[in-house]
Amino acid sequence: MGLKAAYLLRNLLRNPLRTLLTCAAVGLPIMIFVLSVAAVDGIERFLNNSAKQLRLAVTHKAGVVNNLPFGHRAKIEGLDPERKHILGVCAVLWIGGKIPNDSRQLSSLGADADTFVDMFPEYHLTAEQIEHWRRDKMAIIVGPGTARQFNWQDGDRLTIRPSVPPYEPIEFRAIVPTGDVPDPTTNWFRRDYWEDRIAGTSAVPGWINFFFVRCASMADIDKYRVEIDRIFARTPDETNTLDEKTFMNQFISQQFDLPRNLTILSMVTVFVAIMAAANTMSMNFRDRIGEYATLKSMGFGRRTIFGLVQSEAMVLCGAGGVLGAALPYVLFTFTPLRNFTVPLIQTLIIRESVCVAGVGIAMLIGVIASIWPSILAFRLHVVAALRNLE
Amino acid sequence: MTLPLIYNLRNLAVRKLSTGLTLAVVAVVVFMLVVLLAYAVGIRETLSANGSPLNLVVLKPGATAESTSILRQVEWIRAVQTPGIGQGAAGELLVSYELCVQTNINRKGTDKLAYVAVRGVDPVAFQVHPEIRIVEGRDLQTGELECIVGKAARAHFEGLEVGKSLVMGRVGNHAYKIVGVVESNGGSLESEILASRAAITNSFNRQFISSIAARLSDPGQVDAALEYLNGPSVALDARTERRYFADLSARMLDIVKITSVLVVIMGIGAAFAVANTLYAAVDGRRREIAMLRTIGFSRKDILTSFVFESALIGAAGATVGLLGGLWFDGYRQDYLSDQTWSVLAFEMKVTPEIVLFASFVAIFVAVVGALAPALRASRVQVIEALRKA
């Protein structure tokens, strides 16, 4: 075993330049793979959280830009007065917004103060933060990613100019969740504060963009998805109710379909890495035909030779994979790049599991790339090979 | 004296596997680059096609796009005094008050809904946007519940053929008869549905407009007009149409830019793959190189020959990648803007510039990857290499 390991290491160091170039040619695609998968992972976590939370999203049937009257909330709640199946209803108003003198677009939503905390338990607010939210009308729960971007701390006063009427700057006081939040970009403020602020302006009070409805079970989700639309049918404000995952996914899939396209990109990069590694392994085999023949003539079995070629490719590609996975992990975890914004998910969180998967894929690339050279080495005819030696 | 081309071609043919694998790497990079650029160009060209130098777009300050802009009559009425406003054939001012809403329509052949923009306009809009041309059917008739649809919208979304009815409105009970199909030089208006502003105001229960499109009589008036509209007497957010659509496309292209960075990293990886192949080729041909030097070829000839050989791989890879990428030329896509909240239907475009750029990138990658090995080849010690022969 020790002898084989030493032989393997020597082989890798025999042509350091080739080893280095192969590591780079495999490592860079693995880096793209890790970055792509991390981005898709961020979106998937967001969508999976939506599916897990047993929530329905209720929008206007004519499209999300058309507002719904706040009065719909009482009618939805009226479907289950005992709150056994519908655990809560939260009205939401999109205002987008920007910080004065800053071009970056925010995603800010107004929510009903009384139901928000129970509606979105995934924000893991502390008891103190919940108390702040309930006590302070100016409270705004800032997405941790957005807070990092703007360097906002708990308790900071911040001003947002909404992208909807009355378009006048409004002051808020920040609450920054400390835990891992599925949507690190969105800010939530109290809708009652908004209604106070728009009084006497051109904005029309009492209108919202959509409702979130929290249900007790999947059966309730299926039931009330139909039931809610039924009670508003043939009214001036008909609704379109979807489960939250479908609702969120319709935006994501219409915006460059990032999950699908990044998945394609990561598959293509793996293909590129296989090509690059296969090239090296075939060159290595050509250079070492005589050596393999000598090993065979000395008594090393065909399987051992096969294993040596495979192991060498695995170690070589694995090393490239380690470099390719470690670099983005370090850059996006420990350097200012962690504040780099990615559309849809804002902050790129590279999990250790994604890096491990990257290294695993790299080793698999080594196995695939060396299949043909190892078979050739396995089948190598000793006499014929030695005859060709110079 | 330079080495003949056939020498390079035969060398590539001798190492079929290595050449093929390296070519595949370059081809994939070129393919990805072409597809991404075609997507970006499709969006950019669709949006920039609207950009007349004579036109201004006026929104409510703070609004991100027409869909979030609300202008009351007291605000929009002031725009008529904008200096330099052009006049139509009958002497009317070329100021178009437009109401943008949206309706849900399935994408063709799927059950997936898309948010399609609906624009309520007055007859003057067709003079403010002279690029709008009826290509099928007829124009809107005043007082009728009719609409005309953009060419891209008809191609992309279900049920938008002339003669059919499209149910729209806040209550969803107003059936608009589709009477025509329009083109607008490939611009974003082709993704929209146009109807009479009065009808849309009524159907969607709106008491405001979204934006003002104003056409100036002369581009020299742009500064004065912008100063007036953005100034204290009107206090709106006016931009040239070109600027407005450039801002929109910049935001839409953010995602494409980030994906492009990944493709650039892949390109660097390809350069390493090329270098690897060429180093192996140099090592395997030391005697041959020494022989070439002996019979009179200079170091420069050797260097040039290796770089040229690599460039041939790059060119072949570019050809294969481009052929794959060209398959996406004209491929229909749509994009939901998080500023307009409506989809932009567009065609991916593989332009001659993209072909040239991708070819350049492929050859550049191949040449950069070949430089170090080629330099090593040119420095082969003749005596030493021949002694080993």
Side-chain angles (χ1 to χ4, degrees), chain A residues 131-147:
Chain A
E131 209 277 316
H132 178 183
W133 169 262
R134 290 189 173 139
R135 172 181 36 85
D136 184 5
K137 270 195 167 183
M138 290 171 72
I140 184 167
I141 297 163
V142 178
T146 308

Side-chain angles (χ1 to χ4, degrees), chain B residues 3 7 281-299 302 306 376-389:
Chain B
L3 283 155
Y7 168 77
V282 171
D283 286 344
R285 283 153 64 184
R286 294 180 79 81
R287 269 180 293 159
E288 185 181 312
I289 295 164
M291 188 61 76
L292 288 170
R293 291 290 316 282
T294 312
I295 61 175
F297 288 99
S298 68
R299 284 175 191 270
I302 304 290
F306 269 89
R376 180 192 272 194
S378 70
R379 286 176 183 163
V380 163
Q381 298 298 317
V382 179
I383 307 287
E384 194 186 330
L386 286 176
R387 193 179 293 144
K388 287 179 182 169

Side-chain angles (χ1 to χ4, degrees), chain A residues 15 17-22 24-25 28-29 31-32 35-36 59-69 94 97-98 104-105 161-167 202-204 207 234-238 240 247 250-258 260-262 264-265 268-269 271-276 278-280 282-283 286-287 340-344 372 390, chain B residues 15 17-22 24-25 28-29 31-32 36 39 60-64 67-72 75 100-104 107 112-115 169-172 204-206 251 254-256 258-259 261-273 275-281 283 287 331 333-341 343 376 388:
Chain A
N15 193 337
L17 186 66
R18 184 179 291 178
T19 301
L20 202 69
L21 287 171
T22 310
L28 285 169
M31 187 162 117
I32 299 168
L35 289 170
S36 305
T59 58
H60 198 290
K61 194 179 175 184
V64 74
V65 164
N66 296 287
N67 291 352
L68 287 169
W94 180 86
K98 284 180 182 176
R104 286 173 286 184
Q105 179 74 47
R161 182 178 182 157
S163 311
V164 296
Y167 309 104
S202 59
V204 185
W207 290 88
R234 290 177 295 282
T235 69
D237 295 294
E238 291 193 67
N240 178 33
F247 174 68
Q250 67 182 352
F251 295 108
I252 292 170
S253 64
Q254 288 185 78
Q255 292 191 314
F256 193 51
D257 206 346
L258 208 57
R260 189 197 66 177
N261 288 329
L262 284 179
I264 293 172
L265 183 66
V268 169
T269 53
F271 172 76
V272 167
I274 291 174
M275 296 289 113
N279 199 4
T280 302
S282 67
M283 288 187 297
R286 249 196 333 263
D287 291 354
F340 179 75
T341 59
V342 180
L344 296 179
W372 186 239
E390 293 168 274
Chain B
R15 292 166 180 81
L17 186 64
S18 274
T19 304
L21 290 171
T22 314
V25 170
V28 169
V29 173
F31 171 74
M32 295 300 288
L36 271 177
Y39 190 94
K60 181 80 180 179
T64 50
S67 55
T68 57
S69 170
I70 292 180
L71 295 171
R72 308 272 167 202
E75 293 166 316
C100 293
V101 289
Q102 56 170 219
T103 194
N104 292 331
R107 288 184 179 81
K112 287 185 177 172
L113 285 174
Y115 302 137
R170 192 165 183 85
V171 191
F204 285 83
N205 192 23
R206 302 286 163 104
R251 173 106 179 138
D254 274 355
I255 291 178
V256 179
I258 286 176
T259 320
V261 170
L262 299 180
V263 176
V264 168
I265 298 174
M266 213 199 286
I268 297 170
F272 284 121
N276 210 359
T277 308
L278 264 282
Y279 268 120
D283 286 344
R287 269 180 293 159
Y331 190 70
Q333 288 279 295
D334 64 58
Y335 187 92
L336 174 71
S337 162
D338 61 358
Q339 290 181 295
T340 64
W341 294 111
V343 292
R376 180 192 272 194
K388 287 179 182 169

